[in-house]
Amino acid sequence: MYLPRATLPALTIALLTLPVGLGLFFTLAPALGYMGAPGEAPFMRLMDWPGIAPATRLSLTTGFAATLLSLTITALIAAGWHGTRAFTALQRLLSPLLSVPHAAAAFGLAFLIAPSGWLARALSPWLTGWDRPPDLLIVQDSAGLALIAGLTAKEVPFLLLMLLAARSQTRSEAHARVATTLGYPRAIGWLLVAFPALYAQIRLPVYVVLAYSMSVVDVAMILGPNTPPTLAVQITRWMADPDLSLRGVAAAGALWQLALVLAGLALWRGLEALAARAGTALAMSGRRLPRLNASLRALGLALGLAVALSVLAGLASQALWSVAGYWSFPDALPDTLSLRTWGRHGPMLWPIAVTTLLIATLAALAALALVTGCLEAEARHGFRMGPAGRLILYLPLLIPQIAFLPGLQVLMLTLGLREGLWPVVLSHLTFVLPYTLIALSGPFHAVDTRYFTAAASLGAGPTRRFWRLRLPLLLAPLLTAFAVGFAVSVGQYLPTLLLGGGRVTTLTTEAVALTSGGDRRAIGAYALAQTAAALLPFALALAIPRLMFAGRKGMRGG
């Protein structure tokens, strides 16, 4: 198999950059009035909208708060408990949550903390005295606290996984041991000497979390405030409005959102410098802070458990609501269990599930083939990804979706193309590619190259070594990378909504659309189906290597 040096990497770079570049260009044109009605003045109309100030404030505060909380919890877990049984247990609890779609996790949290949610039912009336749901605005509160909690619950597993992957690229554990021998308590020493090096490795993933949290749409529609909503949600409403003159306002809002995210990233970079100075000053002071150490360890464990249990309890709540019969407040459990909801929604849910699986399979397979080809080209031609390559890899995740997806929709309409399945698959591919590459690149480079040297000495050519040696050795990581890409595709909301043009419905778009109806049984059924669709490939990724390599333990885990 001839593998050109640059063909697949160039194609992958094009798939990562062209949609973003073209989308931004065609978003910019209507915003500046070049492709809209004359005299629209979209920016003037955007600034005249009464909700622009609170929507901007919400996007900034929720994004920064969710990112800071997620990073703090991740750092405290690792600082206080790395290398212990508690850390291993917490890691096993949090890792599977990475595959839970954002929308499903948000629904689960809403089912828990709502005034008539599971927590209120469990504490009533014996503790709260409530015999009916209290008149409290907990979900969709005006300050965005529920939105911050939902985003934090989903981003902690992601950052923890990135932190664990970065450990092999630093000498963080050795540095932490040196700090301990110098008399620093475990958590304080780790935060002062190990975390700075690890943070340098996970800086881009942290930026991705910040950009996503500031511009997320589906989670904000479920947990965020409505009047006014976050800026990204309002832009989506303008895009879906039948009044075409609002398209220019939406484009102006998309550029405003992009400017906010870029300003947010710059501000975060400034905060990094301040935090580094504070950490250096503390280290130079020589203070050991033993009392603070115990508090940080307890706080890290408590917050980590709270994150894991909130998502798991939310999923359990969805499952219970999907089979609940009559369930009055304040009963903690329904009076009866019934499959009536599944029977009522099953005929509609099944074709939507098939469409979801088809899109996710196509996007994940295409991403896996491209990533595997790129990594094999790297191995054969001896080049590695530099800082510019890493930036390109994260580009679709750093630029807000709402800033360039409307432009892609305009481009399609300009070219006379129709929205539908294939545009949705290609748009999903842009977001699936980075995660697939992140998941596969580490295991790919970790394979012992002496196997290939021995095979070459026995006369095996590059093609034979790839098919007969490389792929079997990487079967488990390949399946895991496919599962990661599959889960990312299942969770995509905005690309499906805009590039599908209402003709393509997935479990995610349907579940979010049910939010306005408030039917918890239906939402529970769709959210549970969405979670099951995302988890299924992970189960297969665990089972297939065990079945194929039952007698070879070293081949099962990749």
Side-chain angles (χ1 to χ4, degrees):
M1 181 182 70
Y2 173 67
L3 193 62
R5 177 187 173 93
T7 302
L8 283 178
L11 179 59
T12 305
I13 289 173
L15 284 169
L16 290 172
T17 56
L18 277 180
V20 177
L22 290 172
L24 282 176
F25 175 79
F26 280 92
T27 300
L28 182 67
L32 298 178
Y34 288 118
M35 299 177 68
E40 263 190 342
F43 279 105
M44 292 290 292
R45 294 183 64 184
L46 174 67
M47 293 304 158
D48 287 341
W49 176 52
I52 185 65
T56 300
R57 175 183 55 77
L58 269 173
S59 297
L60 284 170
T61 55
T62 54
F64 267 82
T67 308
L68 189 59
L69 265 176
S70 305
L71 183 62
T72 302
I73 294 172
T74 304
L76 288 179
I77 292 171
W81 301 95
H82 66 94
T84 66
R85 290 183 179 178
F87 182 78
T88 304
L90 206 53
Q91 182 185 345
R92 287 176 178 170
L93 267 177
L94 289 170
S95 297
L97 305 183
L98 187 65
S99 61
V100 178
H102 280 81
F107 280 125
L109 186 65
F111 283 10
L112 276 185
I113 65 174
S116 59
W118 222 3
L119 278 179
R121 290 169 183 269
L123 300 176
S124 301
W126 62 274
L127 181 62
T128 63
W130 298 333
D131 56 4
R132 65 186 62 184
D135 187 16
L136 299 173
L137 186 62
I138 299 175
V139 178
Q140 299 182 334
D141 60 293
S142 59
L145 298 179
L147 175 58
I148 293 170
L151 289 170
T152 302
K154 266 303 292 169
E155 301 307 342
V156 167
F158 172 67
L159 289 180
L160 187 62
L161 185 67
M162 293 292 106
L163 197 73
L164 293 174
R167 284 193 308 179
S168 61
Q169 301 169 36
T170 67
R171 300 184 63 194
S172 59
E173 294 183 5
H175 294 163
R177 282 196 295 271
V178 170
T180 305
T181 60
L182 292 174
Y184 283 94
R186 171 193 284 265
I188 301 295
W190 190 92
L191 288 171
L192 286 178
V193 302
F195 184 64
L198 285 169
Y199 182 79
Q201 297 295 323
I202 65 166
R203 178 176 281 122
L204 280 176
V206 171
Y207 290 173
V208 168
V209 170
L210 178 61
Y212 177 82
S213 301
M214 290 180 66
S215 58
V216 65
V217 174
D218 51 353
V219 180
M221 291 176 74
I222 298 166
L223 295 174
N226 274 324
T227 49
T230 61
L231 184 60
V233 172
Q234 184 59 42
I235 295 168
T236 307
R237 290 179 183 174
W238 283 328
M239 287 296 301
D241 198 289
D243 182 359
L244 294 180
S245 69
L246 289 177
R247 292 298 179 95
V249 184
L255 287 180
W256 181 242
Q257 178 73 73
L258 175 62
L260 279 181
V261 170
L262 294 178
L265 292 173
L267 179 58
W268 186 272
R269 192 75 179 92
L271 293 175
E272 285 177 2
L274 291 177
R277 284 191 181 187
T280 303
L282 180 60
M284 294 298 290
S285 72
R287 299 174 63 188
R288 274 28 179 193
L289 304 173
R291 292 182 180 176
L292 181 61
N293 178 73
S295 301
L296 291 179
R297 293 192 70 195
L299 186 63
L301 185 62
L303 291 174
L305 284 173
V307 166
L309 294 178
S310 65
V311 178
L312 292 173
L315 295 177
S317 177
Q318 291 170 11
L320 195 56
W321 269 108
S322 72
V323 294
Y326 182 72
W327 193 358
S328 63
F329 190 90
D331 295 342
L333 296 172
D335 293 342
T336 59
L337 298 180
S338 165
L339 292 176
R340 185 181 303 169
T341 301
W342 289 97
R344 188 170 74 247
H345 291 276
M348 294 176 287
L349 194 150
W350 176 245
I352 295 173
V354 170
T355 303
T356 305
L357 297 178
L358 177 63
I359 293 172
T361 302
L362 292 173
L365 277 178
L368 189 63
L370 285 169
V371 167
T372 307
C374 288
L375 292 172
E376 179 65 13
E378 275 189 13
R380 291 191 189 183
H381 301 295
F383 57 83
R384 299 293 293 269
M385 184 187 296
R390 283 171 57 84
L391 186 61
I392 291 174
L393 170 64
Y394 282 99
L395 189 64
L397 309 181
L398 288 172
I399 303 295
Q401 292 184 356
I402 197 65
F404 67 93
L405 288 176
L408 285 182
Q409 191 185 33
V410 172
L411 173 63
M412 287 180 53
L413 296 175
T414 304
L415 296 176
L417 302 175
R418 296 184 62 184
E419 299 108 327
L421 185 69
W422 286 108
V424 171
V425 172
L426 290 174
S427 66
H428 282 207
L429 181 59
T430 300
F431 301 103
V432 168
L433 266 172
Y435 288 104
T436 306
L437 187 53
I438 291 169
L440 189 58
S441 61
F444 194 97
H445 291 125
V447 175
D448 194 339
T449 55
R450 288 175 295 181
Y451 290 129
F452 306 105
T453 304
S457 68
L458 294 173
T463 302
R464 192 175 183 190
R465 294 200 298 270
F466 175 75
W467 290 106
R468 302 295 298 273
L469 200 55
R470 176 86 72 182
L471 290 187
L473 283 171
L474 286 171
L475 178 63
L478 285 168
L479 291 172
T480 302
F482 173 81
V484 169
F486 193 96
V488 170
S489 175
V490 169
Q492 292 299 316
Y493 172 72
L494 203 57
T496 311
L497 185 72
L498 294 181
L499 280 303
R503 297 184 178 89
V504 179
T505 304
T506 62
L507 291 170
T508 301
T509 58
E510 191 63 19
V512 175
L514 288 171
T515 308
S516 57
D519 184 348
R520 292 189 183 181
R521 291 170 178 80
I523 292 173
Y526 275 90
L528 204 60
Q530 186 195 19
T531 305
L535 285 176
L536 178 64
F538 283 96
L540 294 176
L542 288 174
I544 291 175
R546 290 176 182 274
L547 291 174
M548 291 187 64
F549 304 118
R552 288 177 283 179
K553 186 178 179 181
M555 296 285 288
R556 299 177 195 168

